[in-house]
Every structure is written in C-alpha cells, then in structure tokens.
Amino acid sequence: MILTKRALVGALLGATALGLVPAQAADPIKIGLTGPYTGGSSSMGVSMRDGAKLAAAEINKNGGVLGRPIQLIERDDEAKNEVGAQVAQELINKEKVVATVGFINTGVALAAQRFYQEAEIPVFNNVATGTVITNQFKEPDYDVNYVFRNSAYDVLQAGMMVDEALAQNFKKIAILADSTNYGQLGREDIEKYLATKGVKPVAVEKFNIKDVDMTAQLLKSQQAGADVILAYGIGPELAQIANGMAKLGWKVPIIASWPASMQSFIDIAGTNGNGVIMPQTFIEDKTLPKRASFLDDYYKTYGVTKIPTPVAGAQGYDSVYLIAAAIKQAGSTNGPKIREALENLNTKVEGVVTTYDHPFTAKDHNAISRNMVVFGKVQDGKIVYAKPEDAKNAGVVRVKEKSSN
C-alpha cells in the first residue's frame, strides 16, 4: 500500500498525538551555575558545581520539570568580582537563564546579583555567607527581592562561634580575619555579637589571601593573652593559622568559620588542624537514606572517597531541587512567578542538608536557621561531629525556626 505524502504526514501526526511516536524534544530549562572552578576557592566551587549537577541529573532522569529537562549553564567566576559581574550579564542576556545557582564568595555575589535583581530573575546563593547578601535589595528600598540563600549566613555563624567560646569559659578572645569582603564582614559580625555579651576582643588582626606566614598576627594575639582564636577566612589561610601556632608552640583552641572544612585546610594543616571546630550544615554521614544515596552517587560519579568541601556539595545539590520545586509550583519559567513560588513553597523539598518546609517568605530569603547548624571538627583528615549529642541525633531532620534573622 502506497501512502501519499499528505497521508503519511497525517498518519505521523496522529500517531504522535496518541503517544506512539515521540514528539520533538522539549526545550531545556536553562539555569546558570556559577562559582570559582579554578584558584584558591575552587574546592568549594567544584564541590558545589558537582552537587548541583547530580541534582539536575536526578531530576532529568525523573522527567525534568514541566516536562522539560534542566540544562545547567556553567561559568567560572574565578572568585573575582569583576568576572562574576561579567558572567551574570552573559548568563542573563546571552544564555537567557531563568534562574542561577551558585556564588561561593561574598564579594562576587554582591557584584553580580544586582544584574539578576534588575532582570527580575531569581538568583540562589548556595555557599556565600555574607549577611548583607540577602539584604541587598530588601524593603523599603525595593518592592521585591530576587536573592535567595540556603547557606548559614555570617550573623548566624558569628553568634555560634562566640557562644561556643564563652560556653567553654574563654575570657580573652582574639579575632583573625582575612581582608576580603567575606572576612571583614564576618569579623564585624563577631565584634558586634561580642559587644552584646559585654566582651571586647583582646586582639583583632587581618591577613590577606595567599598569606603563608601568620607569625605577626599570632604573636600580637599571644602577647595580648588570648586564650582562644576566632578565625574567619577560607581553607588555605586558616590552615596557615594552625601551622603558625604549631610553629610558635602556642596551644590555644581555634574556632573557625565554616571553610575550615575545606580539603585545602586539611591538606595544608595536616595534624596541626586536628581539633579545629567550625559551624557546618552538613557532615558526611549516611544516617538518612537521602544522604546515603547522595554520598554514594557523588563518590561513584566523581571517583572520590570524600567530597572536597562537603557543605558546598550538599548545599549546591539542595539549591537545584529548591529551584526546580519553585518552577514546578509556578507552572512557569517566568522570573516573578518563580520568586513568588520560592516565597510560598507549598510542598516539602527533601534535600540532604534538611527537608525544607516553607524555607522562605517574602521577608526572609534565608533557608537556614541556627538550630539547623552543628559544629564539625577536624579529626585525622576528616570532618566529624564535634559534639556527641549532634552525632547521636544525626538522623533527625532539623526544621527551620520561624525567625532566622
């Protein structure tokens, strides 16, 4: 039987409508994925990126979102503010992303996210912690805010660090912070919180990225009688603080910001890093099925036995699921509609940091509250729970407190 061209086309169209022949693949939903994949912050950026890619692959395997696959558009911001700003404009204007996840460095976030705000496109900070990040476009100066976050912001971390030092009965606190926006904003948050407790630090010292000799800062702190160091920086320089203290033979505890969990800290500090504690949203344990699956997939996919920066990997993974949930609820890739959905998520989103239950509101764009953060500790090349009670309750999902600011 010979079909005419018109009859053949009609038959194919009819078969497609009945689902007998696959329709043309749906256009992907483009989501930006930006972070430092090279340089000193790369272990954070790569971990975040790889966690996000795992989430996207899982979502696509299960049919995507709105019947469309997620396509992550990766860009390396090199941890440079000016590059981050250029990347943001490229993702918005050339790639036409409907949202972006990423940002490791506070300075890069502050330089780049204004372009998303102007374009009315949601941008999701999944690692950067500067408190100002989610306040940059808040009321009354702005009607709506397109900046969201699922990392433990600095006011939260600073409070935890100070409270831990005071709980251990330390009286003379020295603060060492790097010279970046991240370090100095964190230092400011620590000093403000100390002031509310009636405590003034005995020393406040600054160091630069790539510094390898902290002797001057440590000697000033030692001579001031410090009995504990509160350190704000990223892995390589935090490690030099631990190494410098060992060189001086000065043994006082270090309570550091969360990047002391970076692989670079562990590698550079070696045994000198043992005992350093830091706030963490995620510890590599398999107490919950979702975490076990995530870790097994991460190790297998990337051929490693541990995540270089576990917090970054976990938060990167969760951020993609949160964005996907908002797009699904909105039924659209329209920026304002995605923002509205994020602020009013009506279904729980199971992540590996936690199960997110109404993580955002119009006035609160931080998904993480203090009760969801624990102290990790460096122990023989790994990050473990610093407190027995946290290890005991590792399988308990911590729900966000009503007010996190």
Side-chain angles (χ1 to χ4, degrees):
M1 177 177 178
I2 301 174
L3 293 175
T4 65
K5 183 177 180 182
R6 179 178 295 178
L8 181 60
V9 170
L12 287 173
L13 288 173
T16 299
L18 291 171
L20 301 177
V21 177
Q24 185 175 357
D27 290 336
I29 295 174
K30 290 186 175 183
I31 297 176
L33 177 61
T34 178
Y37 308 138
T38 54
S41 296
S42 62
S43 78
M44 293 185 285
V46 168
S47 298
M48 179 277 296
R49 179 196 67 191
D50 291 349
K53 288 167 68 174
L54 281 183
E58 290 174 6
I59 292 167
N60 289 341
K61 186 177 180 181
N62 290 308
V65 183
L66 305 181
R68 299 165 61 186
I70 289 175
Q71 181 183 0
L72 297 177
I73 310 297
E74 298 177 32
R75 291 293 184 272
D76 183 359
D77 63 34
E78 304 175 28
K80 297 176 181 177
N81 298 357
E82 66 278 10
V83 176
Q86 292 168 3
V87 163
Q89 294 173 81
E90 180 184 351
L91 289 173
I92 293 166
N93 300 319
K94 181 181 177 182
E95 298 295 342
K96 308 297 183 183
V97 298
V98 305
T100 282
V101 299
F103 294 141
I104 303 299
N105 307 89
T106 294
V108 176
L110 294 175
Q113 63 191 21
R114 62 188 178 91
F115 297 103
Y116 294 97
Q117 178 72 20
E118 291 168 0
E120 297 186 331
I121 294 174
V123 60
F124 215 104
N125 286 266
N126 52 31
V127 178
T129 59
T131 302
V132 69
I133 283 172
T134 46
N135 296 331
Q136 193 175 12
F137 306 111
K138 288 189 74 171
E139 296 177 335
D141 296 325
Y142 296 85
D143 293 332
V144 292
N145 182 6
Y146 282 84
V147 180
F148 295 82
R149 170 164 50 196
N150 66 317
S151 59
Y153 55 96
D154 285 343
V155 162
L156 185 158
Q157 289 193 64
M160 286 185 68
M161 293 166 67
V162 169
D163 283 344
E164 182 65 18
L166 298 179
Q168 294 188 33
N169 206 34
F170 295 120
K171 306 291 187 184
K172 296 183 177 181
I173 295 172
I175 304 171
L176 273 66
D178 74 35
S179 58
T180 67
N181 280 326
Y182 168 68
Q184 291 306 299
L185 289 170
R187 184 266 310 155
E188 184 178 306
D189 286 336
I190 290 175
E191 289 196 80
K192 286 180 179 178
Y193 193 76
L194 279 172
T196 68
K197 302 293 183 180
V199 178
K200 185 176 181 180
V202 296
V204 179
E205 297 295 323
K206 182 163 60 175
F207 54 88
N208 296 317
I209 296 295
K210 297 185 179 180
D211 279 358
V212 295
D213 185 357
M214 305 292 180
T215 303
Q217 295 93 329
L218 291 170
L219 280 175
K220 289 179 181 177
S221 301
Q222 184 182 37
Q223 290 164 2
D227 55 11
V228 65
I229 297 287
L230 301 188
Y232 231 91
I234 63 173
E237 290 75 39
L238 292 175
Q240 296 299 349
I241 293 173
N243 289 341
M245 293 176 70
K247 184 178 178 181
L248 291 174
W250 185 34
K251 295 182 179 180
V252 299
I254 300 175
I255 302 174
S257 53
W258 80 265
S261 63
M262 290 172 63
Q263 188 63 39
S264 56
F265 177 89
I266 292 169
D267 291 343
I268 296 169
T271 57
N272 295 332
N274 280 345
V276 172
I277 67 172
M278 76 300 290
Q280 298 283 276
T281 59
F282 179 80
I283 303 287
E284 280 180 286
D285 71 69
K286 298 184 178 183
T287 50
L288 293 172
K290 182 78 170 181
R291 290 179 190 165
S293 175
F294 164 69
L295 290 171
D296 288 342
D297 287 349
Y298 194 104
Y299 301 153
K300 181 180 179 180
T301 301
Y302 303 113
V304 297
T305 56
K306 71 181 296 294
I307 302 175
T309 305
V311 164
Q315 291 169 179
Y317 177 91
D318 285 4
S319 67
V320 173
Y321 269 100
L322 286 163
I323 287 288
I327 294 172
K328 181 180 179 181
Q329 180 174 311
S332 169
T333 56
N334 171 268
K337 290 182 178 179
I338 297 173
R339 174 189 57 75
E340 290 173 7
L342 280 169
E343 294 174 344
N344 300 278
L345 283 175
N346 55 27
T347 57
K348 294 181 181 180
V349 178
E350 186 182 11
V352 292
V353 170
T354 190
T355 294
Y356 300 86
D357 186 4
H358 297 288
F360 308 109
T361 67
K363 295 184 181 297
D364 180 7
H365 282 196
N366 289 298
I368 303 298
S369 55
R370 180 162 169 170
N371 68 309
M372 299 162 71
V373 186
V374 300
F375 273 104
K377 179 176 69 174
V378 180
Q379 180 175 298
D380 300 327
K382 295 182 179 180
I383 306 299
V384 299
Y385 289 98
K387 298 179 180 294
E389 60 268 29
D390 288 330
K392 182 180 178 181
N393 296 322
V396 177
V397 174
R398 300 171 187 242
V399 180
K400 183 184 175 182
E401 295 169 326
K402 288 186 178 180
S403 176
S404 65
N405 285 319

Short mmCIF file of all heavy atoms in Angstrom, two decimals, residues 257-310:
data_model
loop_
_atom_site.label_atom_id
_atom_site.label_comp_id
_atom_site.label_asym_id
_atom_site.label_seq_id
_atom_site.Cartn_x
_atom_site.Cartn_y
_atom_site.Cartn_z
N SER A 257 35.46 29.83 60.98
CA SER A 257 34.28 29.88 60.13
C SER A 257 34.21 28.58 59.34
O SER A 257 35.17 27.80 59.28
CB SER A 257 34.35 31.10 59.20
OG SER A 257 35.56 31.13 58.48
N TRP A 258 33.08 28.35 58.67
CA TRP A 258 32.81 27.04 58.10
C TRP A 258 33.86 26.53 57.10
O TRP A 258 34.05 25.31 56.98
CB TRP A 258 31.41 27.02 57.45
CG TRP A 258 31.35 27.65 56.09
CD1 TRP A 258 31.01 28.93 55.78
CD2 TRP A 258 31.67 27.02 54.85
NE1 TRP A 258 31.09 29.14 54.44
CE2 TRP A 258 31.49 27.98 53.84
CE3 TRP A 258 32.09 25.72 54.50
CZ2 TRP A 258 31.73 27.71 52.50
CZ3 TRP A 258 32.32 25.45 53.15
CH2 TRP A 258 32.13 26.44 52.17
N PRO A 259 34.63 27.41 56.35
CA PRO A 259 35.56 26.86 55.36
C PRO A 259 36.76 26.09 55.93
O PRO A 259 37.58 25.59 55.16
CB PRO A 259 36.02 28.09 54.58
CG PRO A 259 34.91 29.06 54.71
CD PRO A 259 34.44 28.87 56.12
N ALA A 260 36.86 25.99 57.26
CA ALA A 260 37.89 25.11 57.81
C ALA A 260 37.59 23.65 57.48
O ALA A 260 38.42 22.77 57.72
CB ALA A 260 38.00 25.29 59.32
N SER A 261 36.41 23.40 56.90
CA SER A 261 36.08 22.04 56.46
C SER A 261 36.57 21.75 55.04
O SER A 261 36.42 20.63 54.54
CB SER A 261 34.56 21.82 56.52
OG SER A 261 33.89 22.71 55.64
N MET A 262 37.16 22.75 54.39
CA MET A 262 37.66 22.55 53.03
C MET A 262 38.81 21.55 53.01
O MET A 262 39.61 21.48 53.95
CB MET A 262 38.15 23.89 52.45
CG MET A 262 37.05 24.89 52.15
SD MET A 262 37.73 26.53 51.68
CE MET A 262 38.63 26.12 50.17
N GLN A 263 38.92 20.81 51.92
CA GLN A 263 40.02 19.87 51.78
C GLN A 263 41.36 20.58 51.82
O GLN A 263 42.35 20.02 52.32
CB GLN A 263 39.88 19.09 50.47
CG GLN A 263 40.87 17.94 50.32
CD GLN A 263 40.69 16.86 51.37
OE1 GLN A 263 39.56 16.52 51.72
NE2 GLN A 263 41.79 16.33 51.88
N SER A 264 41.42 21.81 51.33
CA SER A 264 42.68 22.56 51.35
C SER A 264 43.15 22.80 52.78
O SER A 264 44.36 22.77 53.06
CB SER A 264 42.53 23.88 50.60
OG SER A 264 41.48 24.65 51.14
N PHE A 265 42.21 23.06 53.70
CA PHE A 265 42.61 23.22 55.10
C PHE A 265 43.22 21.93 55.62
O PHE A 265 44.29 21.93 56.24
CB PHE A 265 41.40 23.60 55.97
CG PHE A 265 41.74 23.70 57.44
CD1 PHE A 265 42.18 24.90 57.98
CD2 PHE A 265 41.65 22.59 58.28
CE1 PHE A 265 42.52 24.99 59.32
CE2 PHE A 265 41.99 22.67 59.62
CZ PHE A 265 42.42 23.88 60.13
N ILE A 266 42.55 20.83 55.36
CA ILE A 266 43.03 19.53 55.85
C ILE A 266 44.39 19.19 55.26
O ILE A 266 45.30 18.73 55.97
CB ILE A 266 41.99 18.44 55.51
CG1 ILE A 266 40.71 18.67 56.34
CG2 ILE A 266 42.54 17.05 55.74
CD1 ILE A 266 39.53 17.84 55.91
N ASP A 267 44.56 19.43 53.97
CA ASP A 267 45.83 19.09 53.31
C ASP A 267 46.98 19.95 53.80
O ASP A 267 48.09 19.46 54.02
CB ASP A 267 45.68 19.25 51.79
CG ASP A 267 44.75 18.21 51.17
OD1 ASP A 267 44.49 17.19 51.83
OD2 ASP A 267 44.29 18.42 50.03
N ILE A 268 46.74 21.26 53.94
CA ILE A 268 47.82 22.18 54.31
C ILE A 268 48.15 22.10 55.80
O ILE A 268 49.31 22.12 56.20
CB ILE A 268 47.47 23.62 53.91
CG1 ILE A 268 47.36 23.72 52.38
CG2 ILE A 268 48.50 24.62 54.42
CD1 ILE A 268 46.76 25.03 51.88
N ALA A 269 47.13 21.98 56.63
CA ALA A 269 47.36 21.96 58.08
C ALA A 269 47.83 20.61 58.59
O ALA A 269 48.56 20.53 59.58
CB ALA A 269 46.09 22.38 58.81
N GLY A 270 47.43 19.54 57.93
CA GLY A 270 47.80 18.20 58.41
C GLY A 270 47.35 17.98 59.84
O GLY A 270 46.24 18.38 60.23
N THR A 271 48.21 17.40 60.64
CA THR A 271 47.84 17.12 62.03
C THR A 271 47.67 18.39 62.86
O THR A 271 47.02 18.37 63.91
CB THR A 271 48.88 16.22 62.70
OG1 THR A 271 50.18 16.84 62.62
CG2 THR A 271 48.94 14.85 62.02
N ASN A 272 48.24 19.50 62.40
CA ASN A 272 48.07 20.77 63.12
C ASN A 272 46.61 21.23 63.12
O ASN A 272 46.21 22.05 63.93
CB ASN A 272 48.94 21.87 62.49
CG ASN A 272 50.42 21.59 62.63
OD1 ASN A 272 50.85 20.93 63.57
ND2 ASN A 272 51.21 22.09 61.69
N GLY A 273 45.83 20.71 62.17
CA GLY A 273 44.43 21.09 62.09
C GLY A 273 43.52 20.30 63.01
O GLY A 273 42.35 20.68 63.20
N ASN A 274 44.01 19.21 63.57
CA ASN A 274 43.17 18.38 64.44
C ASN A 274 42.61 19.20 65.60
O ASN A 274 43.35 19.93 66.27
CB ASN A 274 43.96 17.19 64.98
CG ASN A 274 44.07 16.06 63.97
OD1 ASN A 274 43.35 16.04 62.97
ND2 ASN A 274 44.98 15.14 64.20
N GLY A 275 41.30 19.07 65.81
CA GLY A 275 40.67 19.75 66.93
C GLY A 275 40.03 21.08 66.58
O GLY A 275 39.25 21.62 67.37
N VAL A 276 40.35 21.63 65.41
CA VAL A 276 39.71 22.88 64.98
C VAL A 276 38.23 22.60 64.74
O VAL A 276 37.86 21.61 64.10
CB VAL A 276 40.37 23.43 63.71
CG1 VAL A 276 39.59 24.62 63.17
CG2 VAL A 276 41.82 23.84 64.00
N ILE A 277 37.38 23.47 65.26
CA ILE A 277 35.93 23.29 65.07
C ILE A 277 35.36 24.45 64.26
O ILE A 277 35.93 25.54 64.23
CB ILE A 277 35.18 23.14 66.41
CG1 ILE A 277 35.22 24.45 67.22
CG2 ILE A 277 35.74 21.98 67.21
CD1 ILE A 277 34.31 24.41 68.46
N MET A 278 34.21 24.18 63.60
CA MET A 278 33.60 25.18 62.72
C MET A 278 32.13 24.86 62.51
O MET A 278 31.74 23.69 62.56
CB MET A 278 34.34 25.22 61.38
CG MET A 278 34.05 24.10 60.41
SD MET A 278 34.43 22.42 60.94
CE MET A 278 36.22 22.48 60.93
N PRO A 279 31.26 25.87 62.33
CA PRO A 279 29.85 25.61 62.04
C PRO A 279 29.69 24.88 60.71
O PRO A 279 30.39 25.19 59.74
CB PRO A 279 29.23 27.01 61.97
CG PRO A 279 30.17 27.89 62.70
CD PRO A 279 31.53 27.32 62.44
N GLN A 280 28.77 23.92 60.66
CA GLN A 280 28.52 23.14 59.46
C GLN A 280 27.03 22.85 59.30
O GLN A 280 26.35 22.55 60.29
CB GLN A 280 29.26 21.79 59.51
CG GLN A 280 30.77 21.90 59.59
CD GLN A 280 31.41 22.24 58.27
OE1 GLN A 280 31.66 21.37 57.43
NE2 GLN A 280 31.69 23.51 58.04
N THR A 281 26.56 22.92 58.06
CA THR A 281 25.18 22.49 57.79
C THR A 281 25.12 21.03 57.42
O THR A 281 24.04 20.42 57.43
CB THR A 281 24.57 23.29 56.63
OG1 THR A 281 25.38 23.09 55.46
CG2 THR A 281 24.49 24.78 56.96
N PHE A 282 26.28 20.44 57.07
CA PHE A 282 26.29 19.08 56.55
C PHE A 282 27.59 18.38 56.93
O PHE A 282 28.67 18.93 56.73
CB PHE A 282 26.14 19.10 55.03
CG PHE A 282 26.16 17.75 54.37
CD1 PHE A 282 25.03 16.94 54.36
CD2 PHE A 282 27.31 17.28 53.76
CE1 PHE A 282 25.05 15.70 53.74
CE2 PHE A 282 27.35 16.04 53.13
CZ PHE A 282 26.21 15.25 53.13
N ILE A 283 27.46 17.19 57.49
CA ILE A 283 28.60 16.32 57.78
C ILE A 283 28.42 15.06 56.93
O ILE A 283 27.30 14.56 56.77
CB ILE A 283 28.65 15.92 59.27
CG1 ILE A 283 28.69 17.16 60.17
CG2 ILE A 283 29.83 15.01 59.56
CD1 ILE A 283 29.99 17.93 60.19
N GLU A 284 29.50 14.55 56.39
CA GLU A 284 29.40 13.35 55.54
C GLU A 284 29.06 12.12 56.37
O GLU A 284 29.94 11.37 56.78
CB GLU A 284 30.71 13.13 54.78
CG GLU A 284 30.86 14.01 53.55
CD GLU A 284 32.17 13.78 52.82
OE1 GLU A 284 33.20 14.24 53.34
OE2 GLU A 284 32.17 13.16 51.75
N ASP A 285 27.77 11.90 56.62
CA ASP A 285 27.32 10.67 57.25
C ASP A 285 26.14 10.12 56.47
O ASP A 285 25.51 10.83 55.69
CB ASP A 285 26.93 10.92 58.72
CG ASP A 285 25.65 11.72 58.85
OD1 ASP A 285 24.58 11.18 58.52
OD2 ASP A 285 25.70 12.89 59.29
N LYS A 286 25.85 8.85 56.65
CA LYS A 286 24.80 8.18 55.88
C LYS A 286 23.62 7.79 56.76
O LYS A 286 22.99 6.75 56.54
CB LYS A 286 25.39 6.96 55.16
CG LYS A 286 26.48 7.30 54.16
CD LYS A 286 26.96 6.07 53.42
CE LYS A 286 28.02 6.43 52.38
NZ LYS A 286 28.45 5.22 51.60
N THR A 287 23.31 8.61 57.75
CA THR A 287 22.25 8.26 58.70
C THR A 287 20.86 8.33 58.08
O THR A 287 19.95 7.68 58.57
CB THR A 287 22.31 9.19 59.92
OG1 THR A 287 22.35 10.55 59.45
CG2 THR A 287 23.54 8.92 60.75
N LEU A 288 20.69 9.13 57.03
CA LEU A 288 19.40 9.23 56.36
C LEU A 288 19.53 8.68 54.94
O LEU A 288 20.57 8.87 54.29
CB LEU A 288 18.93 10.69 56.30
CG LEU A 288 18.57 11.34 57.64
CD1 LEU A 288 18.32 12.83 57.46
CD2 LEU A 288 17.35 10.67 58.25
N PRO A 289 18.50 8.00 54.43
CA PRO A 289 18.59 7.40 53.09
C PRO A 289 18.97 8.40 52.00
O PRO A 289 19.75 8.08 51.11
CB PRO A 289 17.18 6.84 52.87
CG PRO A 289 16.66 6.57 54.24
CD PRO A 289 17.23 7.66 55.11
N LYS A 290 18.40 9.60 52.06
CA LYS A 290 18.70 10.61 51.04
C LYS A 290 20.18 10.98 51.06
O LYS A 290 20.82 11.12 50.02
CB LYS A 290 17.85 11.85 51.29
CG LYS A 290 18.03 12.96 50.25
CD LYS A 290 17.29 12.67 48.98
CE LYS A 290 17.28 13.87 48.04
NZ LYS A 290 16.55 13.64 46.81
N ARG A 291 20.73 11.14 52.27
CA ARG A 291 22.17 11.46 52.38
C ARG A 291 23.03 10.31 51.88
O ARG A 291 24.03 10.52 51.20
CB ARG A 291 22.52 11.79 53.83
CG ARG A 291 21.94 13.10 54.33
CD ARG A 291 22.31 13.34 55.77
NE ARG A 291 21.57 14.47 56.33
CZ ARG A 291 21.47 14.74 57.62
NH1 ARG A 291 22.07 13.96 58.50
NH2 ARG A 291 20.79 15.78 58.03
N ALA A 292 22.66 9.10 52.25
CA ALA A 292 23.43 7.94 51.82
C ALA A 292 23.46 7.84 50.30
O ALA A 292 24.51 7.60 49.69
CB ALA A 292 22.85 6.67 52.44
N SER A 293 22.29 8.03 49.67
CA SER A 293 22.21 7.97 48.22
C SER A 293 23.04 9.07 47.57
O SER A 293 23.77 8.83 46.60
CB SER A 293 20.74 8.09 47.79
OG SER A 293 20.64 8.14 46.39
N PHE A 294 22.94 10.29 48.12
CA PHE A 294 23.70 11.43 47.60
C PHE A 294 25.20 11.16 47.68
O PHE A 294 25.93 11.35 46.70
CB PHE A 294 23.34 12.69 48.38
CG PHE A 294 24.30 13.84 48.22
CD1 PHE A 294 24.40 14.51 47.02
CD2 PHE A 294 25.11 14.24 49.28
CE1 PHE A 294 25.28 15.58 46.86
CE2 PHE A 294 25.98 15.30 49.13
CZ PHE A 294 26.08 15.97 47.92
N LEU A 295 25.66 10.70 48.83
CA LEU A 295 27.09 10.46 49.01
C LEU A 295 27.59 9.34 48.10
O LEU A 295 28.64 9.46 47.46
CB LEU A 295 27.40 10.15 50.47
CG LEU A 295 27.24 11.34 51.43
CD1 LEU A 295 27.35 10.88 52.88
CD2 LEU A 295 28.27 12.43 51.15
N ASP A 296 26.84 8.26 48.04
CA ASP A 296 27.25 7.15 47.17
C ASP A 296 27.33 7.59 45.72
O ASP A 296 28.29 7.24 45.00
CB ASP A 296 26.27 5.98 47.31
CG ASP A 296 26.39 5.25 48.64
OD1 ASP A 296 27.44 5.41 49.31
OD2 ASP A 296 25.44 4.53 49.01
N ASP A 297 26.34 8.36 45.27
CA ASP A 297 26.33 8.84 43.89
C ASP A 297 27.49 9.80 43.63
O ASP A 297 28.12 9.76 42.56
CB ASP A 297 25.01 9.53 43.57
CG ASP A 297 23.86 8.55 43.43
OD1 ASP A 297 24.12 7.33 43.36
OD2 ASP A 297 22.69 9.00 43.38
N TYR A 298 27.75 10.68 44.60
CA TYR A 298 28.84 11.65 44.44
C TYR A 298 30.17 10.91 44.33
O TYR A 298 30.96 11.17 43.40
CB TYR A 298 28.88 12.62 45.63
CG TYR A 298 29.74 13.83 45.39
CD1 TYR A 298 29.19 15.07 45.11
CD2 TYR A 298 31.14 13.74 45.42
CE1 TYR A 298 29.99 16.19 44.87
CE2 TYR A 298 31.94 14.84 45.19
CZ TYR A 298 31.36 16.06 44.92
OH TYR A 298 32.15 17.16 44.68
N TYR A 299 30.43 9.99 45.25
CA TYR A 299 31.70 9.25 45.23
C TYR A 299 31.87 8.47 43.91
O TYR A 299 32.95 8.49 43.30
CB TYR A 299 31.77 8.28 46.40
CG TYR A 299 31.64 8.89 47.78
CD1 TYR A 299 31.13 8.14 48.83
CD2 TYR A 299 32.02 10.21 48.02
CE1 TYR A 299 31.02 8.69 50.11
CE2 TYR A 299 31.90 10.76 49.29
CZ TYR A 299 31.39 10.00 50.34
OH TYR A 299 31.27 10.54 51.60
N LYS A 300 30.81 7.81 43.49
CA LYS A 300 30.88 6.98 42.28
C LYS A 300 31.03 7.85 41.03
O LYS A 300 31.87 7.56 40.16
CB LYS A 300 29.62 6.12 42.17
CG LYS A 300 29.60 5.21 40.95
CD LYS A 300 28.33 4.37 40.91
CE LYS A 300 28.29 3.48 39.67
NZ LYS A 300 27.04 2.67 39.62
N THR A 301 30.24 8.91 40.95
CA THR A 301 30.25 9.75 39.75
C THR A 301 31.58 10.45 39.55
O THR A 301 32.08 10.55 38.42
CB THR A 301 29.12 10.80 39.83
OG1 THR A 301 27.86 10.14 39.94
CG2 THR A 301 29.11 11.69 38.59
N TYR A 302 32.16 10.93 40.65
CA TYR A 302 33.37 11.74 40.52
C TYR A 302 34.64 11.01 40.94
O TYR A 302 35.72 11.59 40.96
CB TYR A 302 33.20 13.04 41.32
CG TYR A 302 31.99 13.82 40.85
CD1 TYR A 302 30.88 13.98 41.67
CD2 TYR A 302 31.94 14.34 39.56
CE1 TYR A 302 29.76 14.68 41.22
CE2 TYR A 302 30.82 15.02 39.11
CZ TYR A 302 29.73 15.18 39.94
OH TYR A 302 28.62 15.86 39.49
N GLY A 303 34.53 9.73 41.28
CA GLY A 303 35.70 8.92 41.57
C GLY A 303 36.49 9.36 42.78
O GLY A 303 37.72 9.38 42.75
N VAL A 304 35.78 9.74 43.85
CA VAL A 304 36.44 10.20 45.08
C VAL A 304 35.92 9.40 46.27
O VAL A 304 34.93 8.67 46.17
CB VAL A 304 36.19 11.71 45.32
CG1 VAL A 304 36.81 12.54 44.20
CG2 VAL A 304 34.68 12.00 45.43
N THR A 305 36.59 9.55 47.40
CA THR A 305 36.14 8.88 48.63
C THR A 305 35.58 9.87 49.63
O THR A 305 35.06 9.47 50.67
CB THR A 305 37.30 8.11 49.28
OG1 THR A 305 38.40 9.01 49.53
CG2 THR A 305 37.79 6.99 48.36
N LYS A 306 35.69 11.16 49.33
CA LYS A 306 35.07 12.20 50.14
C LYS A 306 34.85 13.43 49.28
O LYS A 306 35.54 13.63 48.27
CB LYS A 306 35.89 12.54 51.40
CG LYS A 306 37.18 13.29 51.13
CD LYS A 306 37.94 13.57 52.42
CE LYS A 306 37.18 14.48 53.35
NZ LYS A 306 37.00 15.85 52.86
N ILE A 307 33.89 14.26 49.66
CA ILE A 307 33.64 15.50 48.95
C ILE A 307 34.70 16.52 49.37
O ILE A 307 34.93 16.69 50.57
CB ILE A 307 32.23 16.03 49.27
CG1 ILE A 307 31.17 14.99 48.91
CG2 ILE A 307 31.96 17.33 48.52
CD1 ILE A 307 29.75 15.38 49.31
N PRO A 308 35.35 17.20 48.43
CA PRO A 308 36.39 18.16 48.82
C PRO A 308 35.91 19.19 49.83
O PRO A 308 36.61 19.50 50.79
CB PRO A 308 36.77 18.81 47.49
CG PRO A 308 36.46 17.77 46.46
CD PRO A 308 35.24 17.07 46.97
N THR A 309 34.71 19.73 49.63
CA THR A 309 34.09 20.64 50.60
C THR A 309 32.64 20.18 50.78
O THR A 309 31.76 20.59 50.01
CB THR A 309 34.15 22.10 50.13
OG1 THR A 309 35.51 22.45 49.84
CG2 THR A 309 33.62 23.04 51.20
N PRO A 310 32.39 19.33 51.77
CA PRO A 310 31.07 18.69 51.90
C PRO A 310 29.90 19.66 51.95
O PRO A 310 28.87 19.44 51.31
CB PRO A 310 31.21 17.89 53.21
CG PRO A 310 32.66 17.62 53.33
CD PRO A 310 33.34 18.83 52.78
#
